Each structure stands twice: as C-alpha cells, then as structure tokens.
C-alpha cells in the first residue's frame, strides 16, 4: 500500500473525534460517507440478509483477499462498529484492510445503536440472536469461511467493543478471540443521571429495569465473575487514558487477572476516536497472529 495513502487515511482519522463522540449519543445513525480504502489485493462486497430475529433486511460488508486459495477455508474476523456508526465505519476510518491481505475474511455487520443485545423492551431488536444465529451462518454459507470456534474472532470499538466482549463471555463456544477497543463496558450498570435522562431511557429499553435480570445477564463486569476462564476466548483490551471509560476498563481487566483469564490490556494517551483505535491495530494484529486461528 502506498505510504501516501496510509498517511491520508490517518490524517482523515485525526478529524473524526467529533464523529466518534457522537457515536456514543446518536440513536438515529446516518452514514456520513462511504469511501472505503481498497488495495488491488483485496475485494469488497456488501451483502443483504433478511433477519428473522430483527424482522427486516440487514446489510453487512465483507472484505476478503482478491485471490482465494483453492479449496481452502479462511478465518473470519467480525468487526463491530460504535453507537451512531454503521457497517461501513471500519472500512472507511481504519487500516484494517491489511488484515484481509494476509488471508482473513473481514465481516462488518450493521448494529445500529443496539449494543449487539436482545433488547428488553423492543421485541423486534434481537441483535444478539442476529449476530450469533443468522449472520455467522450466512457468512459461512456464502463465503469460504472456516467453520467452528477456532476460526472466528470478534473485535469492536466503543459500543462494538462492549458487544465483542459480552458476546465472547456469553457465547464462548463461538469465538476463539475477542477484542474491545475503548469498550463501553459500564453501559448496563451506569446509574441514573438527570443530565443524561435520554441516555438512561435508551439503555433501559435495551437492558431492562435497573438491576434487573436482563441487565445482570448482559453486564460484562458481572459476567466476568461467573464465566469459565478456561473456556472463554482470549481477550484483547485497550483504552485511552483520557477516556471516561478508563475506570471501567481498569476494573474489568483487574477482574480478568484475578480470575485467571487469558487476556492482555493496553492503555495509552488518547481519546475516544479512530486516530487512537488505528494506533492499536499493530498490537491487535500481533495478538491475532499469536492467538488466531486458535490451535484447538
């Protein structure tokens, strides 16, 4: 990839903090643009899947090597966007295309502002079921995707980081590797604030009554107390030292360490934006190379 193209992509990412911050608040996401960065060694395809779990058509984006080895299945990396974003974000704002160049299929689903969870008060918003029961099956039917846990990884930013970590804890049989970049791990348990009453209402619509069963069953900080460290996927965590999410990530990492999970945790100076998330991709790539596909 030309160095100038990489520089332009990173320069553009520097001007996206407002977009990323809005992703934590905007419940009616609109695509800002679609300008995916592609090289001759990869191809992009957008797919429409009718979801019974969501009672609607859903789009997802796939990036894969332009030349596929004959009769060979490739590992799959599922990439979850942040709240207020959309399924185009990873291809527009990150350098993750390089992962496809080394023989990994990238799948980027639409998650709206769902936190990739079956909503307590929205029967038509069963996003966890969509990801775990429909999307994976559709990808493995339409693409040369390696079936089984050892060939699947899941990574997300912000809301998507929450989703990746939670799905790994709740469905350890589906993924061998999970990563949260600035994961919003504290969302289910955020206390009521009159200053954020709209946010409170959105979160309660997803996670149910305060301290209720749905909230407890979707809270990574609580799930880490009961999940089996020997069965849980390898977890990669990263959070910026200037983020409001740092305390929750510190707490979660401490709990993982206490209970003997296989994980790594990175912090660095930075805020909640694509510039920072891109800066962690080399470390994420190195961890993926070591732990994925899993040798099981």
């Amino acid at each position: 990839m030309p160095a100038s193209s990489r520089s332009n992509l990173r320069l553009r990412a520097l001007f996206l903090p407002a977009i990323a911050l809005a992703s934590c608040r905007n419940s009616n996401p609109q695509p800002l643009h679609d300008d995916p960065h592609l090289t001759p060694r990869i191809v992009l395809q957008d797919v429409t899947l009718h979801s019974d779990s969501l009672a609607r058509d859903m789009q997802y984006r796939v990036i894969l090597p332009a030349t596929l080895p004959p009769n060979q299945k490739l590992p799959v990396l599922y990439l979850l966007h942040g709240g207020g974003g959309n399924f185009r974000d990873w291809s527009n704002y990150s350098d993750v295309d390089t992962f496809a160049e080394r023989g990994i299929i990238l799948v980027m689903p639409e998650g709206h502002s769902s936190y990739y969870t079956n909503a307590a008060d929205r029967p038509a918003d069963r996003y966890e079921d969509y990801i775990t029961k429909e999307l994976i099956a559709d990808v493995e039917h339409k693409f040369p995707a390696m079936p089984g846990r050892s060939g699947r990884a899941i990574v997300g930013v912000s809301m998507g980081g929450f989703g990746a970590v939670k799905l790994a804890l709740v469905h350890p049989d589906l993924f061998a590797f999970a990563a949260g970049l600035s994961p919003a791990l504290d969302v289910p348990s955020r206390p009521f604030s009159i200053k954020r009453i709209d946010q409170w209402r959105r979160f309660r619509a997803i996670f149910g009554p305060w301290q209720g069963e749905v909230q407890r069953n979707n809270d990574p900080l609580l799930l880490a107390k009961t999940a089996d460290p020997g069965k849980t996927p390898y977890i990669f965590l990263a959070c910026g030292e200037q983020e409001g999410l740092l305390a929750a990530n510190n707490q979660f990492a401490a709990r993982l360490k206490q209970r003997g999970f296989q994980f790594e945790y990175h912090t660095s100076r930075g805020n909640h934006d694509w510039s920072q998330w891109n800066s962690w991709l080399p470390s994420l790539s190195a961890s993926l190379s070591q732990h994925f596909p899993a040798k099981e």
Side-chain angles (χ1 to χ4, degrees), residues 255-290:
R255 187 158 295 169
L256 295 182
K257 182 178 180 180
Q258 180 185 39
R259 298 208 58 233
F261 286 86
Q262 295 296 305
F263 79 103
E264 60 190 274
Y265 180 39
H266 303 263
T267 63
S268 62
R269 289 192 58 80
N271 293 298
H272 201 74
D273 55 47
W274 280 102
S275 179
Q276 179 178 214
W277 300 331
N278 267 319
S279 74
W280 286 325
L281 290 186
S283 295
L284 176 62
S285 177
S287 191
L288 278 166
S289 295
Q290 184 176 356

Side-chain angles (χ1 to χ4, degrees), residues 24-29 51-56 83-84 111-130 159 187 197-209 214 218:
C24 298
R25 299 188 295 265
N26 184 3
S27 60
N28 298 298
S51 168
D52 292 333
S53 299
L54 301 174
R56 74 197 84 163
H112 298 115
S113 293
S114 67
Y115 283 84
Y116 304 93
T117 294
N118 292 340
D121 293 342
R122 299 171 184 166
D125 283 0
R126 302 188 64 79
Y127 281 85
E128 181 173 333
D129 287 350
Y130 166 64
M159 178 189 80
V187 162
I197 191 168
D198 289 340
Q199 182 188 79
W200 169 266
R201 289 169 177 162
R202 292 198 303 271
F203 291 168
R204 298 282 61 83
I206 297 172
F207 299 107
V214 176
N218 288 281

Side-chain angles (χ1 to χ4, degrees), residues 146-224:
M146 184 184 299
R149 176 187 191 270
S150 63
R152 299 189 201 109
I154 188 165
V155 175
V157 297
S158 190
M159 178 189 80
F162 167 91
V165 171
K166 191 211 76 171
L167 291 175
L169 292 170
V170 176
H171 301 279
D173 57 314
L174 292 182
F175 305 101
F177 183 100
L181 309 184
S182 303
L185 300 174
D186 65 326
V187 162
S189 58
R190 284 184 188 173
F192 175 79
S193 169
I194 192 65
K195 294 181 179 180
R196 297 184 177 183
I197 191 168
D198 289 340
Q199 182 188 79
W200 169 266
R201 289 169 177 162
R202 292 198 303 271
F203 291 168
R204 298 282 61 83
I206 297 172
F207 299 107
W210 177 247
Q211 297 186 339
E213 182 179 5
V214 176
Q215 176 185 322
R216 292 194 301 270
N217 291 341
N218 288 281
D219 188 337
L221 296 169
L222 295 178
L223 292 169

Side-chain angles (χ1 to χ4, degrees), residues 26-33 84-86 88-89 93:
N26 184 3
S27 60
N28 298 298
Q30 297 294 326
L32 300 180
H33 76 290
N86 60 69
R88 305 171 181 89
D89 284 6
Y93 304 138

